[in-house]
Amino acid sequence: MIRVLLAEDQAMVRGALTALLNLEPDIEVLGSAADGETAWRELQRLKPDVLVTDIEMPGLTGLELAQRIRRHELPMKVIIVTTFARPGFLRRALDAGVGGYLLKDAPAEGLAEALRTVHRGGRAIDPQLALEAWSDADPLNDRERQVLRLAGEGHSASDIGTQLNLSHGTVRNYLSEAIGKLGAANRIEAYRLARQKGWL
Amino acid sequence: MIRVLLAEDQAMVRGALTALLNLEPDIEVLGSAADGETAWRELQRLKPDVLVTDIEMPGLTGLELAQRIRRHELPMKVIIVTTFARPGFLRRALDAGVGGYLLKDAPAEGLAEALRTVHRGGRAIDPQLALEAWSDADPLNDRERQVLRLAGEGHSASDIGTQLNLSHGTVRNYLSEAIGKLGAANRIEAYRLARQKGWL
DNA sequence: ACCCCCGGGTGACGGTTGTCACATCCGCAC
DNA sequence: GTGCGGATGTGACAACCGTCACCCGGGGGT
């Protein structure tokens, strides 16, 4: 019997996944949590074999949860189930030692199978995503990332300069760099590109 | 027996919701679709009592689907189930005559109940959202919406002009209007504001 | 016929953005 | 100390953006 804890912030999806997994004779859903902190507490209380978690949750993200489990050397496996096909996310997840990384776009039948694989000590990584993850690395440095993030929120160059204690000229240089590296036509496009790669 | 068709683009969520609903003795999931066009075809083929649909789907959105059902005077009810607590979306949904509007944040148990209510001819609208919906109206007209959407994707004024057969000056006029109406400082902020209200 | 509103366009203004070449400062290797 | 590289700044230029006042043509009222 595989004992599972579920962490997912959308209540309806949480309930539906519970129903789905409970259909499997060899899987038991011990409980579920709506945010990272709750998941962390339940984890220690229930000691499940596997944690199935979303990434985007209030408080503590699924990635941070995975890192924390590794740091404390807890014995359970982790499977990430998320909407976001961002190479950067998968990369961070693998660094945190997760056993599985599935997309919500993947067929539901695969989830139970992935659970069994990971429980046996195997890995279940979405295949096409696995390719991309190691193909192109984040070309942005810290300054470029900061500046681009603020620009994407609608701030002007002088605005950003004030916030980061830089001159507006320097901000524009960083933006120009970032736009160039990403092959974008302007800051808006650059922001979108970086975001969808999980680099922001 | 309530006969249901499910439209939802994320396969895993689709499968999980199917499992959830099939647990109910008085509900039968006839089938499901991953995008709006498929849903529209399945709708005519299967003639379900109720359509349960997401909003954000490739091709045809759930809102457009609801409008089309109303226009063709098909006899089925519609329930929207979405992540987005945007007043503008609920508004458009109600205008399209939907029977229910639930958030994925709401508890899963409520879905079956909402289905029964709507099937009986009642309405199931998320309560706190219902309040906000009538508070502030969308100030944008069609042109402003189109132009703002494209601008938010990183296109320049001349770019947008070409796509919409407008002069670049006119595009800038519309953008200026939209920025003013939304109280934003530039197109980027305007885009973000409109988006989070569900007006885009 | 008249007027007025509406969608669209024009032209001009000052500010912002994207690009580039070059300057400055600091730390670190040798 | 010399030299190099990274981080930050400057100044200039062309293009683009945001704003405004105004123009044009075609419906609809009346």
Side-chain angles (χ1 to χ4, degrees), chain B residues 141-162:
Chain B
N141 63 35
D142 283 356
R143 279 310 201 189
E144 288 156 6
R145 225 189 318 281
Q146 280 179 69
V147 163
L148 193 53
R149 192 170 4 233
L150 291 171
E153 283 165 17
H155 298 289
S156 70
S158 341
D159 238 17
I160 299 172
T162 311

Side-chain angles (χ1 to χ4, degrees), chain A residues 88-109:
Chain A
F89 280 7
L90 173 53
R91 198 118 161 204
R92 273 187 264 165
L94 290 177
D95 288 346
V98 309
Y101 191 106
L102 306 180
L103 296 180
K104 286 186 182 168
D105 284 333
E109 299 77 40

Side-chain angles (χ1 to χ4, degrees), chain B residues 157 172-173 176 186-187:
Chain B
R172 284 161 61 205
N173 284 334
S176 184
N186 54 48
R187 55 180 68 193

Side-chain angles (χ1 to χ4, degrees), chain B residues 13-129:
Chain B
V13 176
R14 189 167 68 247
L17 284 175
T18 303
L20 179 74
L21 289 176
N22 274 334
L23 288 181
E24 305 291 328
D26 58 336
I27 294 177
E28 182 191 2
V29 179
L30 300 180
S32 58
D35 63 89
E37 295 297 350
T38 311
W40 177 242
R41 283 198 307 277
E42 289 294 276
L43 214 66
Q44 291 165 305
R45 191 170 68 83
L46 298 170
K47 306 200 183 309
D49 300 318
V50 184
L51 166 70
V52 174
T53 179
D54 192 2
I55 289 187
E56 300 232 315
M57 287 184 297
L60 203 64
T61 71
L63 290 174
E64 290 164 337
L65 209 45
Q67 283 160 5
R68 201 183 277 193
I69 288 170
R70 185 193 196 68
R71 202 158 356 103
H72 287 69
E73 296 177 1
L74 299 184
M76 71 226 24
K77 312 285 187 182
V78 177
I79 296 183
I80 305 262
V81 177
T82 180
T83 311
F84 305 105
R86 296 184 187 153
F89 279 8
L90 173 53
R91 196 117 159 206
R92 270 187 267 163
L94 290 176
D95 288 346
V98 308
Y101 191 105
L102 306 180
L103 297 181
K104 286 185 182 170
D105 283 334
E109 299 77 41
L111 178 57
E113 204 39 61
L115 247 156
R116 292 188 193 102
T117 304
V118 170
H119 186 239
R120 281 200 302 273
R123 301 201 149 228
I125 309 294
D126 187 273
Q128 81 250 39
L129 199 53

Side-chain angles (χ1 to χ4, degrees), chain A residues 157 172-173 176 186-187:
Chain A
R172 283 160 61 204
N173 285 333
S176 185
N186 55 46
R187 54 180 69 190

Side-chain angles (χ1 to χ4, degrees), chain A residues 173-189:
Chain A
N173 285 333
Y174 285 133
L175 273 173
S176 185
E177 279 286 312
I179 292 168
K181 284 182 180 178
L182 298 175
N186 55 46
R187 54 180 69 190
I188 308 180
E189 204 185 332

